[in-house]
Structure formats: C-alpha cells, structure tokens
Amino acid sequence: MSIKSNIAYIQELKTAAAEKSGRNGDDVLLVAVTKLHGPEEINEAIDAGITDIGENKVQEIMDKYEKVKPVRWHLIGHLQTNKVKYIIDKVSMIHSVDSLRLAKEIDKRAGQHQRTMDILVQINAAEEESKFGITTAETDALIRDIAAECPHIRIKGLMCIAPYFEDPDDARTYFAAVKKIYDQYAENRSENIDFQYLSMGMTNDFEVAVEEGSNLIRVGTAIFGYRDYRSEEK
Ligand SMILES: *Cc1c(COP(=O)(O)O)cnc(C)c1O
C-alpha cells in the first residue's frame, strides 16, 4: 500500500467514525505522525493532502524542518523545558504540556518571539506510570494556573494517550472521561482558554476515540508502516 492510499483509507474510516457520533469527517483533523520517517516520505504525505504533521522529539523537528514542504508542525511528545527554545518558532501547537513550569518556559520563549503559542494540556487518564501527563483531578488547577500566569499561551484543548488494549473498545472509558472535561471548557471560553481541539486516538484506537468525541487524531503506523526503532540515534 502506498502512503497516499493509506491516507485515503484512514480518511474513510475517520469519516465513518465521525458520522457515528453525528459529525462530518471534516470536523476531525488528521495529524500524520512522522517520527522516524524521513523528509521524502513526509513530503509524499503532504502531496497526498496532509496539512499537519506530528513529531515527538525536538531533535527530529530540527533535523527535518528545512527539508519538508510547508506544513503545520505539532510537537506531540514529552518536551523538556531546556529544549523549548529550539522549536518555539517552528511548531503550530504543543500537545504535551503537563506542568506549570513547562508552560512558563513556553510563555517566556513565545514572548521573546512576539507570538502566542497554542498548547494542549496532556492528561494521563489511566494514570499509567509509563506515561506523561496529569491526572483528570489535576486538570482544572493546571489550566487555571496557565491561564493566569502565561499571557503568551492559548490553551486550545486537551490531549490524551489511552493505554494500549488488544481491543480498542476497552479505551472508551478513558476517552469519554477526557471528553467530559473538554466539554466543560469548550462551553466556557475566555481570553486565553479557547478550546477547539481534543487530541485523542492513534493507529490502534482512533476510530473509538473519534466515536467518543475526539476531533484530532494522531496517526503514524497506519500511514507510514512500522517504524524501525533500531535505526534511531540517541
Ligand atoms: C507515535 C505517536 C503517535 C502515533 O502512533 P501510531 O500508533 O504509530 O499511530 C501518536 N501520538 C503520540 C504522542 C506518539 O508518540
């Protein structure tokens, strides 16, 4: 299967899932996750209509940025505060904000670049040890603190990575829990709390995530095939 036909197939499944939840396929943004894939494959995806790509490492964004056609970049992986400065002028949105300390650094660097950075707050809904993100109980306090202390940040929504289940139906309760928090904010907008994105769903579980209300899916493997982690350089 080519990248182009994989994308077409995912768009079809995405549309079917969106319609199940009373929406259109166009209401759900497909972010192609390009980690460990090279500029050539990424440009092929862009030629096939991809407008947004996601990377989970700062270094990969730096390495590929000049070689990839114009596209919106999303930082979807854990971000260390000392690396914010490298990507602040490159990415459209940071999905992985899970502390006030990180938010303050993003705010400071965004201010230096005279821009406002769109961010999502990452929730670790199943409270897995192996994952970053805050608990559902901590979410309100973090959103309030960021909104109060970070004038160069706009909080655009929430991101969640569900636990891996053989049967993605088992992830439903976690997606639903995050959707519930999302809805509360989506109805109560303010100057820098402007919810628009609920980033949930990957190759294994994006259909379930969309059925539960996700409007941004992050899909890598189903577009580009399996990643070769052995070739990863540290
Ligand atoms: C790698 C990654 C994805 C995509 O995962 P696939 O299973 O390949 O679709 C999505 N979100 C994050 C945060 C990732 O790191």
Side-chain angles (χ1 to χ4, degrees):
M1 293 283 272
S2 69
I3 288 172
K4 187 175 176 179
S5 58
N6 289 343
I7 290 169
Y9 181 57
I10 292 158
Q11 299 282 20
E12 250 175 59
L13 297 179
K14 183 191 87 169
T15 297
E19 285 170 358
K20 268 194 185 174
S21 66
R23 295 175 295 158
N24 299 315
D26 291 345
D27 298 336
V28 181
L29 176 65
L30 170 60
V31 173
V33 176
T34 51
K35 63 188 185 208
L36 298 183
H37 295 287
E40 209 165 296
E41 289 167 282
I42 300 173
N43 285 330
E44 203 177 318
I46 294 169
D47 287 340
I50 288 294
T51 55
D52 293 75
I53 64 174
E55 288 281 353
N56 70 337
K57 292 211 169 114
V58 167
Q59 188 60 50
E60 283 197 63
I61 296 176
M62 307 290 289
D63 291 346
K64 298 174 202 173
Y65 193 75
E66 297 294 335
K67 299 174 188 143
V68 168
K69 295 180 181 186
V71 70
R72 283 191 293 270
W73 293 75
H74 297 246
L75 194 279
I76 60 174
H78 179 62
L79 177 57
Q80 289 172 282
T81 47
N82 64 345
K83 293 191 175 160
V84 171
K85 57 180 177 286
Y86 300 119
I87 50 112
I88 197 71
D89 58 338
K90 297 185 175 62
V91 303
S92 301
M93 192 154 77
I94 298 170
H95 292 223
S96 47
V97 175
D98 60 0
S99 72
L100 183 59
R101 182 167 162 264
L102 174 59
K104 280 183 164 175
E105 175 66 12
I106 294 169
D107 182 62
K108 180 179 117 187
R109 299 291 177 182
Q112 288 170 351
H113 284 264
Q114 278 145 22
R115 69 170 294 183
T116 304
M117 180 57 78
D118 288 348
I119 64 131
L120 305 179
V121 168
Q122 181 176 354
I123 300 184
N124 181 3
E127 302 188 21
E128 292 173 277
E129 293 280 351
S130 60
K131 292 205 171 90
F132 291 99
I134 57 169
T135 66
T136 50
E138 293 164 330
T139 309
D140 283 328
L142 182 59
I143 290 174
R144 209 171 39 233
D145 288 348
I146 296 173
E149 298 188 39
C150 304
H152 299 100
I153 283 181
R154 246 187 333 236
I155 310 170
K156 298 298 280 187
L158 304 174
M159 185 270 243
C160 137
I161 305 172
Y164 178 85
F165 292 107
E166 199 82 22
D167 178 357
D169 260 331
D170 295 340
R172 233 176 247 287
T173 54
Y174 299 109
F175 292 138
V178 178
K179 171 71 157 71
K180 207 170 151 192
I181 300 173
Y182 176 84
D183 283 344
Q184 288 163 8
Y185 283 95
E187 286 159 18
N188 290 293
R189 287 162 202 280
S190 68
E191 173 130 20
N192 52 357
I193 304 178
D194 181 21
F195 272 37
Q196 193 180 332
Y197 295 111
L198 180 54
S199 170
M200 308 193 296
M202 307 169 33
T203 291
N204 185 56
D205 58 17
F206 74 87
E207 294 172 86
V208 171
V210 170
E211 285 169 28
E212 293 298 327
S214 164
N215 63 17
L216 188 162
I217 57 176
R218 310 175 310 269
V219 179
T221 306
I223 296 176
F224 299 105
Y226 286 98
R227 292 176 287 270
D228 185 1
Y229 284 98
R230 286 166 310 173
S231 65
E232 193 176 6
E233 286 170 1
K234 274 275 139 59

